[in-house]
Amino acid sequence: VQLQASGGGLVQTGGSLRLSCAASRRIYSSAVMGWFRQPPGKEREFVAFLRWSTGRTNYADSVKGRVTISKANADTVYLQMNSLKPEDTAEYYCASGVQASTTPRDYTTWGQGTLVTVSS
């Protein structure tokens, strides 16, 4: 499977963006879809994951209450981000795996990044 992330852009503090991750085929029920981000000069970090079969989600503390991961359709997952802050500025990546994990190395397939810039 290939993943294509989109939806990044420049937004002011307090604004919203919706990122999309489109898979090249139907996402299997065994999959866990994750979003990660990499701020400039920092390590890649977990944002959210969604277990496709159960709908179980998990969020990083830094985004909890402001971000929602959800299914768009059989091959696309969204990341709705509200109340954006300058510290949310990062390259955002979607990924798929089979473990409900917050660790990047547990995900086997990665899309290219989409840049989110939040201005103060």
Side-chain angles (χ1 to χ4, degrees), residues 23-50:
S24 56
R25 55 154 173 76
R26 179 179 61 87
I27 296 171
Y28 293 156
S29 61
S30 58
V32 175
M33 301 300 294
W35 283 97
F36 292 79
R37 66 186 183 186
Q38 188 162 11
K42 296 185 178 181
E43 297 291 314
R44 194 168 296 189
E45 62 187 31
F46 168 73
V47 176
F49 72 62
L50 168 67

Side-chain angles (χ1 to χ4, degrees), residues 84-101:
L84 284 162
K85 305 174 183 180
E87 50 264 45
D88 294 318
T89 294
E91 193 84 15
Y92 282 72
Y93 298 88
C94 63
S96 68
V98 294
Q99 292 188 55
S101 172

